[in-house]
Amino acid sequence: MGNSTIDFEKEINTLNARGIEINYYFICKTKLFLFMNNIGLEKNHENVKLGKLLHENRYNSSNKNKEVIIDKIAIDFINIKDEYIEIHEVKKSDKMEVADYYQIIYYMYYLKKLGINSKGVINYPNQNKKKEIELNNEYIGKITSIIKEIEEIRNSNNIIPPTKKKYCKKCAYYEFCFS
Ligand code: SF4
């Protein structure tokens, strides 16, 4: 399936982002900054708990469907096909569809660097909906520049000032940003 071990070592060391960071990049860069700096209010937030519950009930009840952790990425579950692996993410709703797309694009890009071909599926069980996605050159170009920008945010000491968005009230950092 593709690249050599030497390629892996060289390429993979440049990929520090976690999938959730790619997701937050699209949702809110303040949130991304806070998360990266371990200002962790997320764990006990209701929306986060709901997501975990959904996940456990619908997708992790059989041995086939286990979270797969590969270095810095954690894929919700995978199905192994003949020529590629199918990687799955499970989301509560499709309200943040672009963020969800790029999270799974990042996983496919990461796996490609490991020499593994993959295709992505985003599952929205509450809406009985699935979206399939394949890595292409356009996505590779975009994810490369997003990764670069995320690393700039990681290396910065300056908090990104919060700006109000329609979903701020559901965010675990709301009090932090606006009280
Ligand atoms: S409350 Fe709003 S501005 Fe603050 S981190 Fe959350 S989404 Fe971003």
Side-chain angles (χ1 to χ4, degrees):
M1 273 193 183
N3 295 351
S4 69
T5 311
I6 294 164
D7 282 339
F8 158 73
E9 285 175 359
K10 191 171 140 206
E11 301 279 356
I12 216 74
N13 284 339
T14 65
L15 297 177
N16 292 317
R18 294 165 59 187
I20 193 77
E21 292 172 348
I22 304 286
N23 199 288
Y24 286 176
Y25 172 91
F26 285 94
I27 293 172
C28 171
K29 293 191 178 69
T30 306
K31 185 169 179 152
L32 174 63
F33 179 91
L34 294 172
F35 179 81
M36 281 173 160
N37 284 279
N38 294 321
I39 301 171
L41 305 175
E42 291 260 273
K43 257 195 325 233
N44 296 320
H45 193 265
E46 277 311 311
N47 275 348
V48 178
K49 282 187 205 158
L50 181 65
K52 283 196 174 128
L53 202 62
L54 178 74
H55 210 263
E56 279 155 20
N57 286 345
R58 308 284 281 261
Y59 285 90
N60 276 346
S61 56
S62 83
N63 285 336
K64 283 196 300 192
N65 297 330
K66 292 280 182 203
E67 186 176 61
V68 179
I69 295 170
I70 303 172
D71 199 13
K72 296 160 202 131
I73 63 170
I75 298 164
D76 284 346
F77 66 94
I78 64 171
N79 290 324
I80 297 174
K81 307 284 185 182
D82 284 344
E83 300 289 326
Y84 62 94
I85 63 169
E86 193 176 73
I87 61 173
H88 288 255
E89 274 297 298
V90 184
K91 300 293 182 187
K92 293 203 298 276
S93 85
D94 63 359
K95 282 191 190 142
M96 303 296 180
E97 205 166 45
V98 176
D100 301 341
Y101 261 62
Y102 275 92
Q103 184 174 351
I104 208 159
I105 286 166
Y106 177 64
Y107 292 158
M108 288 190 281
Y109 178 72
Y110 198 104
L111 291 170
K112 188 177 169 63
K113 295 288 182 195
L114 296 175
I116 299 168
N117 293 323
S118 64
K119 293 183 184 178
V121 182
I122 310 171
N123 300 271
Y124 298 103
N126 284 343
Q127 292 153 289
N128 273 331
K129 184 170 137 180
K130 286 182 182 183
K131 290 271 179 178
E132 295 180 1
I133 186 157
E134 290 190 36
L135 194 62
N136 60 29
N137 285 341
E138 189 189 338
Y139 287 146
I140 289 174
K142 283 189 182 157
I143 200 71
T144 307
S145 61
I146 289 163
I147 291 164
K148 191 163 167 269
E149 206 182 321
I150 287 177
E151 291 317 309
E152 284 165 9
I153 294 171
R154 194 189 309 284
N155 294 325
S156 166
N157 292 323
N158 301 323
I159 186 165
I160 297 171
T163 53
K164 274 228 165 118
K165 300 164 191 68
K166 60 178 188 235
Y167 42 82
C168 280
K169 283 201 171 154
K170 292 190 171 170
C171 173
Y173 295 106
Y174 183 73
E175 293 290 319
F176 184 93
C177 290
F178 298 113
S179 64

